């Protein structure tokens, strides 16, 4: 059974750093992404990385501050978040797409979510 298990998150002061982890298991995945959501707002794409090639993509709001990476030996994806601000406060979710087939661009698998709160 495919699973994404998130760790990390918590409370941090503005300007600080946090790292989120997403441990994958159960099957191969194509792309692993991070999303975030604030109550009352739509879920927002944050970053994604190709599992095979390691190509990374970011939303403009986090470019230069967040880094997504993967450890293929540990089947884990990381989101290193630096220079955090109040606008980064949200519930963060990792998600994954199948590696091939008609749904290769669909995030069919989701982690349980973890809260990141940035205090000013």
């Amino acid at each position: 059974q495919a699973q994404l298990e998130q760790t990390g998150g918590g409370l941090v002061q503005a300007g600080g750093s946090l790292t989120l982890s997403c441990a994958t298991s159960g099957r191969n995945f194509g792309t692993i992404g991070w999303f975030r959501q604030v109550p009352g707002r739509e879920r927002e794409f944050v970053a994604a990385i190709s599992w095979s090639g390691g190509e990374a993509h970011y939303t403009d709001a986090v470019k230069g501050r967040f880094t997504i990476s993967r450890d293929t030996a540990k089947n884990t994806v990381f989101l290193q978040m630096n220079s955090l601000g109040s606008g980064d406060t949200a519930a963060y979710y990792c998600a994954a797409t199948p590696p091939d087939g008609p749904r290769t661009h669909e995030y069919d698998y989701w982690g349980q979510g973890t809260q990141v709160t940035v205090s000013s």
Side-chain angles (χ1 to χ4, degrees):
Q1 182 178 358
Q3 284 191 320
L4 303 178
E5 184 71 25
Q6 296 180 225
T7 55
L11 176 65
V12 65
Q13 287 189 334
S17 299
L18 280 176
T19 300
L20 305 181
S21 300
C22 178
T24 72
S25 63
R27 67 161 299 163
N28 294 327
F29 298 101
T31 299
I32 312 294
W34 287 95
F35 295 79
R36 63 188 181 185
Q37 188 167 24
V38 175
R41 297 177 62 178
E42 290 191 359
R43 184 171 57 206
E44 174 189 25
F45 168 81
V46 176
I49 189 166
S50 165
W51 188 258
S52 59
E55 296 87 3
H57 301 277
Y58 302 89
T59 189
D60 287 345
V62 308
K63 283 180 181 177
R65 300 188 299 121
F66 290 12
T67 302
I68 190 171
S69 62
R70 77 207 194 292
D71 184 331
T72 56
K74 296 182 178 179
N75 292 324
T76 300
V77 172
F78 305 95
L79 185 67
Q80 173 68 42
M81 305 183 293
N82 299 325
S83 301
L84 286 162
S86 58
D88 298 313
T89 294
Y92 283 73
Y93 298 88
C94 67
T97 71
D100 48 34
R103 296 190 63 81
T104 189
H105 297 295
E106 303 294 334
Y107 287 96
D108 286 342
Y109 308 93
W110 290 84
Q112 78 276 21
T114 186
Q115 180 67 32
V116 171
T117 302
V118 183
S119 64
S120 56

